[in-house]
Amino acid sequence: MAQNTQSPNTDNSMQALKQYGSYIFTAILLALAGYFGWTYWQDNHARVDTVAADHYADIQRLNEEVSLAAQNPDLEAEALTALAASRTQLNKDIDALVSTHGDSVYAWQALMIKARQQVDSDDFAGATETLKKALAIDLGDAGLSAITRLRYAETLLSAGDADAALAEANNDMPSSFEASQQELLGDIYLAKNDEDAAIKAYTNAWNLISKRQETRAVLALKMESLGIVPEPISEPASLIQAAAIPETATQNPNVNVNDSVNNSNVSDQAAQ
């Protein structure tokens, strides 16, 4: 890695990083959340609970409607009222599912949706409580636990509790999530004004994704903002290779990762 302390784009890079970095990391985690929720059910051949499945399907549809409406910046008063009512109903539906099927993967997925909605509304305290509940669900899958813990640590950081975020992010995780873990640790150290530790963590993350020939533009931006120019990562050998799911994140031998939820991250690329 080359040191570049005189980069003229440092201020602009930092501004862009603060504005978009957390959303991109979240998107990666959310994509993983949806993927692993589905593959967990497939690989474990769980008995289908049609009631819970139907309930979750309704939640998913309502969440899509809420998310689509929330993207419109020009909603009039009546539409805003309807959006607020839909969000309230969505939370009620999620709470009802969790109360009746709290140990299921459907409850876990629903809680991840709720946490995303809370983060979008800047309700970080509510999101941390929601993610605590998700973390308490024992699905016997290390990948799902890693996704939840990373998301929980990120939310703690957003809420301003860097020490608690550091404690959570330092937990052992599957090796396929190590790059995302190191990147998040870099974010936490940076928030604690420990630039040396942040540079080390970001560099670790970059080295890990380099081995997979995976690029992360936001991670590169974070490193450049600290005066570090990351080594270029070569593209995968073929389009088929590039489109393939990069990593296995659970203990199930046939489960691979595609990295989004929230909507949005996570190899370990849904889990920033």
Side-chain angles (χ1 to χ4, degrees), residues 100-111:
T100 55
H101 299 87
D103 60 348
S104 70
V105 68
Y106 299 109
W108 177 80
Q109 288 179 297
L111 287 169

Side-chain angles (χ1 to χ4, degrees), residues 40 102-105 108 132-142 144-145 148 251:
Y40 172 85
D103 60 348
S104 70
V105 68
W108 177 80
K132 268 187 184 179
K133 293 179 181 178
L135 197 57
I137 299 175
D138 183 9
L139 297 173
D141 189 286
L144 295 179
S145 295
T148 314
Q251 295 174 338

Side-chain angles (χ1 to χ4, degrees), residues 5-222:
T5 58
Q6 302 298 325
S7 174
N9 296 319
T10 297
D11 291 341
N12 290 337
S13 296
M14 285 300 294
Q15 184 177 0
L17 176 60
K18 290 178 180 178
Q19 184 174 1
Y20 300 112
S22 64
Y23 290 100
I24 295 174
F25 186 80
T26 296
I28 290 174
L29 289 176
L30 289 174
L32 282 180
Y35 177 81
F36 279 109
W38 173 243
T39 54
Y40 172 85
W41 178 83
Q42 283 184 313
D43 291 344
N44 286 277
H45 303 287
R47 178 179 298 176
V48 178
D49 185 332
T50 57
V51 175
D54 290 345
H55 196 164
Y56 177 72
D58 291 339
I59 288 171
Q60 200 170 33
R61 282 192 292 270
L62 182 55
N63 177 59
E64 290 171 357
E65 292 174 7
V66 168
S67 298
L68 183 60
Q71 293 174 15
N72 186 350
D74 301 318
L75 293 179
E76 297 181 354
E78 184 176 350
L80 287 171
T81 300
L83 176 58
S86 294
R87 280 176 169 156
T88 299
Q89 185 61 52
L90 177 62
N91 287 334
K92 287 182 178 179
D93 290 347
I94 291 172
D95 292 342
L97 174 59
V98 172
S99 68
T100 55
H101 299 87
D103 60 348
S104 70
V105 68
Y106 299 109
W108 177 80
Q109 288 179 297
L111 287 169
M112 297 297 280
I113 288 176
K114 183 176 182 180
R116 173 56 188 220
Q117 291 290 338
Q118 290 169 319
V119 167
D120 287 346
S121 300
D122 294 329
D123 180 11
F124 298 112
T128 56
E129 289 303 313
T130 297
L131 289 165
K132 268 187 184 179
K133 293 179 181 178
L135 197 57
I137 299 175
D138 183 9
L139 297 173
D141 189 286
L144 295 179
S145 295
I147 292 169
T148 314
R149 194 173 297 281
L150 287 170
R151 188 72 185 93
Y152 181 44
E154 185 200 358
T155 304
L156 286 168
L157 179 60
S158 297
D161 194 344
D163 291 334
L166 182 61
E168 289 295 331
N170 267 323
N171 276 276
D172 290 337
M173 296 184 188
S175 59
S176 55
F177 286 86
E178 190 175 354
S180 288
Q181 181 184 32
Q182 287 296 315
E183 183 174 353
L184 180 55
L185 284 170
D187 295 344
I188 296 169
Y189 286 128
L190 194 58
K192 292 171 67 67
N193 297 315
D194 188 346
E195 289 195 2
D196 290 340
I199 289 172
K200 182 178 179 180
Y202 287 150
T203 301
N204 288 341
W206 191 263
N207 290 338
L208 287 166
I209 65 172
S210 295
K211 295 176 182 178
R212 303 197 299 251
Q213 293 183 299
E214 172 191 329
T215 59
R216 293 190 185 181
V218 174
L219 175 56
L221 183 60
K222 292 173 182 177

